Structure formats: C-alpha cells, structure tokens
Amino acid sequence: MTTTDQPSDHAGARARLLDQPGLTGAVRRRALSRLADDWLAGLYAAAGAPSGTALVAVGGYGRGELSPRSDLDVVLLHRGRLDPALPERIWYPVWDGGTALDHAVRTPAEARAVAAEDLKAQLGLLDARHLAGDPELTAELRSEVLSDWRAGAAGRLPELRASCLERAERHGELAFLLEPDLKEARGGLRDVVALNAIAASWLADAPRDGLDAAAERLADVRDALHLTTGRATERLALQEQDQVAARLGVLDADTLLRQVYEAARTVSYAADVTWRSVERVLAARSGGGRVRRSRLFTFGGAGRSNGAVGRGGVERTPLAEGVVEQDGEAVLAQSARPAQDPVLPLRAAAAAAQAGLTVSYATVRRLAAEAAPLPVPWPDEARAQLVTLLGAGEAAVPVWEAYEAEGLITRLLPDWERVRCRPQRNAVHVWTVDRHLIETAVRAAAMTRRVARPDLLLVAALLHDIGKGWPGDHSEAGEVIVRDVAARMGFDKADVETLALLVRHHLTLVDTATRRDPDDPATVELITGVTGTLSHLELLHALTEADATATGPAAWSSWRASLVSGLAGRAAARLTGAQQPPAEPGWGTEPTVEQERLAIEAARTGEPALTLLAQAGPEAGGTEPMGVRLTLALPDRPGLLGTVAGVLALHRLTVRSAGLRELDPAGAGPVLLLRWTVAAEYGELPEAARLRADLRRALDGSLDVTRKLAGRDAAAPRRRGITTPPPVVTVLPGGASSTATVLEVRAHDAPGLLHRIGRALDGAGARVRTAHVSTLGAEAVDAFYLTDPAGGPLDDGRAREVAAAVREALA
C-alpha cells in the first residue's frame, strides 16, 4: 500500500474535509466523493488488479452525493476468471477504516442478470460511474443497463411505482411528519432517485422548477443530521432538530421543519405529475383505458370520454365554462381566457374535484402565470366555486396541492402563507396546520346534510385554525382574521358574524362537554349563550366533529363523541323551545309592475310568459359568469315546478336559487310566478324564444322532458366521480308553518335534481304553495311548503308518504 492508501490517512483527510470552514452542501458531498474516489482507486491499484477489470461506483456514491456517513456502494467488474483474493485486497482496508461498504463482484452479464431480477440493483446501476481500471468495461455496462432499462420500462416502471406506494405506506409523508425519514418517506430523497430513473427511461420527465433545489435542501439536512448524531441515520428525531437547525444556520426547529416540508411537497408534486405522465404513455402504448390512480400520487378519474374532439383528434369533454376533460385531467378549453376571467382558476379546480379529476400541470402553470386577480369583494361565483371545491371532499386534496405548489392558494388567500407547512408540536396532531385545515374540510364535506348552511360549514372548516400563524390564542386571532377574509370573499354581514363565531368557538363545544358537568344547567346555558340559534349550534357541532376527526385518532373517540352529541342535543332542545318559527319564504315585496304584467299575460293567454335578464360574462368585462335571471309566469296547474326545472336542465342551466309564489292578477285566476337565478353550465345561454318554445312543448306534452334528460345522462361520459353524502329529506316540525307542511331536501346538486323532486311531489299529489331553492356551492338546500287540495297542511301520514316518494326519486 502507498501511504495515501492507509485507512488512517483516509480517515484523517476525511475529518479535515468535514471540519473545513465554509465547505457545505453539494460542494462538500462532491468533495467527499472525490476523496473516496482517490482512496478506492489507490486500493485498486495497490491490489494489483489486472486488465479487463474495473471498479465502479453505483447508487448515491455513483451520483457523487456522499453524505458524511454514507455507505460506499461499489461493483468490481471483470471479464473471464478473477483471482478470488483480489476483491478482499480492495475491501479489507475499507472495512479496517470503519467505512460501511456495499460491494459486489460481477461480470457485465451477471450485473445485467441481477438487475433484471432486482429493481433496487438496476436503479443503482443506472448511476454507475467509473472509478478505476478499464473505462471501456464501465462504459459497456452503463450502455447495456440503460438500454435494458429503456427496453423494459413498460414493465419496470409499474414495479417502481408499486415500490414507491409500499414505501409511502410504510414511512408516511415527509411533508407532514414530526419525525420524518428524509430518505424513505414520500417526498424524500428516494423519490428523487425514482424521478431520475423515470427520466432515464425516456418515457417522461419530472417538472424541474424547484426540484433540484428541494432535493439539495433535503440532502443538506441529511448531512447535518449525520454530523449531529455521528450516525448514518435518516430519521430527523425531535431531540436532534434544534442541533440540526443550528448547524444549518436556521432560526429554530420549526423553521427547519417548514423548510423540510416545503422541499418534500415540491418532490411529491413532481412525483404526482410525472407518474400521471407515465400512466398516459403506458396506456397509449397498450391501447387500454385509463388506470385507476392511488391517492398517494393522484386522484385522477377513470372512464370513457365521448366528448368533443379537439385539435389533433384528442377527445375533450366539457366540465364547466372554460374547462374540459382531456386524458383523465381537467384542462382549459381552447376558448378560455384566464386574463379576462378571474374566476377561472376556482372554476377549474371545482370542476376537476367534483369530477374526481385533478388539474393538469400545464393548466395550473398557465393559470398561475395568466389568471387575473379576483376583485374584492369576490364575485358570487368565486365564493360558490370555492365551496364547490371544498365540498368534493377527498377529491379536493390533490387539486388543492397542485394549486398550492404553483402559488395559487396564497394568491387567493394571502393569510394562508402563515399556516402553510407550519408544524404542530402536539402529539395528537398528524398534519401540518394547513393540511389539517384541508382535512377538516374533507371531513366536513361528509357532514353537509347535517346543517342548513353547508357553505358556512365548509369555509369555517377551511379557516378555523387560520389564527395559528399569529401570536396569542389562535381562536381569538382567527376570529379577527376570518372577519376580514370572509368580507373579502363577499359574504354578507350576517354570514361574516356566523363564520367569526364558529372560528372563535370551534373548541368550546368539545372543551365544555369533556370538562364540565353535563347535568349542570349552566353547562347547557353556556353553549346556548355562545350559539344563540339552532342553526349556529348545528354548524358548531359539525365543525367540532370534523376538526377532531381530522386532527388524529387520539383526538376523537366514542366517549368524546357521546359527550359532545349529548351536550349538543340538550342545547338544541333548549334552543328549539325558545326559538320563534321561521317565516315562510317569500320575495319580501309586492309584485313589481313587470311581474304583474307577466302574470296578466299568462292568465290571458294560458301560456308561459317570461323575461330573461342576462348578466355580462367575463369576456364582456363583468365579474360574474355569464348567467341569467329568469322570471316566469304560468297558469297554475299540477307539476309545474318539476316541468320548468326539467326544461332548464335540458338547456344546461344550473339553478343557483329559485323562488315560487302564487298571484291572482285582477281576479283572472291563479298564476304561478317563478323567479330563477341560473347560469349556463358551459357554452352560450339559450335564446329566450327557444326556451319559451320548449316550455310550451313540455306543458302540452309534445316534449318528454324526463325521457330527454335520461337519454342525455345515458350518453354522458362515465367518470369515477366522487362520493357524496346521501340526500336527506325531512318533514319539519309543525312549528315551521301553521298553514303548510314544510318539506326540506338537502342533497348534492346535479343536473335535473329539482326536476326529479318536482315530479315526485306531483306524483305524490302534493301541491307546492311556495318554495325556497338555494344551491350553496355544490349542495342544494331546498324548502317546499306543501298543501293538500283543500289548501291546508298535509296530515302526518300523507307527509310521510310524500317524503318517502322524494327519497325514492333521489335514491
């Protein structure tokens, strides 16, 4: 051995390198690799290796990325017979020096055979780098391994993905763990290696913006962890975080974790995008359909597309105005103009999530670059689209993550930046603050049937911990913030106060239920004093449960649930007894001259009379989507509500709100006056003349609305879609109205929903005297005031029959 080959000399040189001031990061990792290169090359020469052999670095060492405690992964290549003692003459000095060594001795053919059977070995060989000996032998191996990898990519990449899924299940998500594994967790260094392997296959490449910097940051933290512990550990334990932060010059452990989380999210998002690209390529090669995707990577939908054919023969199925489905993702329509349509980012997100899709990488990038800022306060549609996105539940998560990766979330909600990637040093929490907020909204989406205002529940779930980015009690800080955020979103004063109450008191119900005597009247009075109304109590109860179940398994139990439910029930009984019955919904004013004119015309002609007031769409300079206010008068007859709703559905008009009342203009006979606020699902609004003609045809029986809608539904593309809570149909207590039976329907909005309800009511023989229809995001909350033929409330038996008929129609 030469003097430079002695283990002690190498160890000393390595120690001096690690102590060298200012030498950190990738520069130090490369320097450590060069030092190891020189040492191993010297050992190879001193061992008397013959021609026809080569020493090759593989894996992380092959990439020149040695951390302070990394193993040395090497392969001794040879042709023909080899002196059995030669490898030991190289390996023993390494072992004597205390350096971990992963070694193999193989011919190129043997190396290729092992790689064909062992994915991990093949991935390591993709990074093969020549150290000493015959360079042509190394080049031959590299060329053949890369060729094998590319030729077998269609089989190996699904295997690689399966291993990534299994690893993520075992180690969790780096972006949320308090003690993450920097290498093995999802979003860690092992995923960076997988992305490089995909790129080497030539089938797809990862988005590179920020990826290299993220990988370097994770590697820097890993280096600091090795130096802090003196061990080759990948787990960033709590007790090491302050020292690691200090070694990196970071303010504190929380700042360190936020940097780690941000880097992990960049890697995870790149993996999501890349695996979707791989899926599309492999599906195209095989000629098969789309593959169902796992939540660990994406929530893309499966199914056929029979929509319009766009440029290049690609099928594009409309999802919403300016948004279409293509290749299992939501993309912008060719006519979309992000710079002229400030609601488009939220509309695209909501449409994608409701369809069980994600938004394509190129689309998110374009929206981030071109979309106009939302005006303040937000237009009504923007608020509705946010609620629709949140109401999609689990399917909203990958869409939200994609938007957050490109900065769209903090652009919509600037206060989000303070909670983004913020760790929670509480053993019961399994998520960062921002992800906990999203998970709470996911849980709340399953509870929307329990409340009369699902939109307020979902927004409160999203914002309930927004104060955790500020000093002091986060509930008090959050109350201040949410007042400002809700006002900017365009909620009215009453709704702003409700959201502020929910955020301020989101812990009150569970704290009171678990820490106070449930039988003490003062306990119930505390809750009724906070909530004030039954509606507020319902919202707070649902938010409490959503918050706790999204926190982690330790935060919610059957015992806690029973205590909270019991207290909420006692408070509800108290509030129900003290609350005045609600007023019957009406339009609040006497009929206008125009409404009287329509009613007289309908009574005189016996045909529908209507007016359409179109609103300016984004391309015309308006802030609302292109829509229409429709006022319609018809001579009263059974089944009008369902028939009119069906005609609107045929014209792809979505109902945002509707009201119904009776008039008797100048004693000419009863006329039903309906006022609708509708919007085009996509495309142009229907012409008034065509709408009027179809209404006439539907009323005289020449247009079978139900059959037309059923045929269109049968021809629609089949998507996986999302799971929504089942409809809830309730006959409200008699105190809700003294002159009618009030039937409340809470359901997920869908084309033709109101048509089905109307037909069921008509088929059950119930007369709709008045109705209040509202669509809050993607959730419908409708109240129908029903009477019998004599004009009085339905008896209890008839009311149950009518409710059962509506439930069956919505099943």
Side-chain angles (χ1 to χ4, degrees), residues 593-607:
V593 172
E594 179 65 13
Q595 291 166 1
E596 287 276 12
R597 184 191 68 76
L598 290 173
I600 292 171
E601 181 183 342
R604 179 178 58 82
T605 64
E607 294 190 346

Side-chain angles (χ1 to χ4, degrees), residues 731 741 793-802:
V731 178
T741 296
L794 307 179
D795 62 48
D796 291 345
R798 286 287 298 123
R800 287 193 294 270
E801 290 174 1
V802 171

Side-chain angles (χ1 to χ4, degrees), residues 501 525-537 575 578-579:
L501 182 151
E525 288 174 7
L526 188 155
I527 298 302
T528 57
V530 164
T531 56
T533 69
L534 190 59
S535 176
H536 286 165
L537 177 62
L575 290 169
Q579 206 161 275

Side-chain angles (χ1 to χ4, degrees), residues 607-648:
E607 294 190 346
L610 62 88
T611 59
L612 288 165
L613 297 178
Q615 298 169 163
E619 294 186 5
T623 56
E624 295 283 354
M626 188 174 292
V628 53
R629 293 182 182 272
L630 166 65
T631 305
L632 174 67
L634 306 103
D636 196 6
R637 55 180 279 185
L640 278 181
L641 178 64
T643 300
V644 174
V647 172
L648 297 181

Side-chain angles (χ1 to χ4, degrees), residues 491-696:
F491 284 103
D492 63 28
K493 185 176 180 180
D495 289 348
V496 170
E497 291 302 317
T498 298
L499 288 168
L501 182 151
L502 294 172
V503 171
R504 174 67 182 87
H505 293 286
H506 70 271
L507 297 175
T508 299
L509 188 56
V510 68
D511 286 350
T512 305
T514 56
R515 298 174 185 176
R516 299 281 291 268
D517 180 1
D519 297 321
D520 186 345
T523 303
V524 176
E525 288 174 7
L526 188 155
I527 298 302
T528 57
V530 164
T531 56
T533 69
L534 190 59
S535 176
H536 286 165
L537 177 62
E538 289 175 345
L539 286 165
L540 187 62
H541 186 189
L543 176 60
T544 298
E545 186 174 335
D547 180 21
T549 54
T551 297
W556 196 244
S557 64
S558 58
W559 171 74
R560 283 177 177 262
S562 65
L563 290 178
V564 169
S565 180
L567 178 56
R570 288 189 289 276
R574 183 78 58 87
L575 290 169
T576 301
Q579 206 161 275
Q580 294 294 321
E584 186 166 339
W587 293 0
T589 61
E590 291 299 313
T592 64
V593 172
E594 179 65 13
Q595 291 166 1
E596 287 276 12
R597 184 191 68 76
L598 290 173
I600 292 171
E601 181 183 342
R604 179 178 58 82
T605 64
E607 294 190 346
L610 62 88
T611 59
L612 288 165
L613 297 178
Q615 298 169 163
E619 294 186 5
T623 56
E624 295 283 354
M626 188 174 292
V628 53
R629 293 182 182 272
L630 166 65
T631 305
L632 174 67
L634 306 103
D636 196 6
R637 55 180 279 185
L640 278 181
L641 178 64
T643 300
V644 174
V647 172
L648 297 181
L650 276 179
H651 285 269
R652 297 193 182 276
L653 292 173
T654 58
V655 178
R656 292 183 179 171
S657 65
L660 178 154
R661 72 191 295 181
E662 267 190 1
L663 292 178
D664 189 358
V671 170
L672 205 61
L673 193 66
L674 300 101
R675 186 179 64 182
W676 309 76
T677 302
V678 297
E681 187 178 344
Y682 47 78
E684 299 294 330
L685 290 168
E687 295 178 357
R690 183 180 173 193
L691 190 59
R692 187 182 294 108
D694 281 349
L695 283 169
R696 290 196 188 102

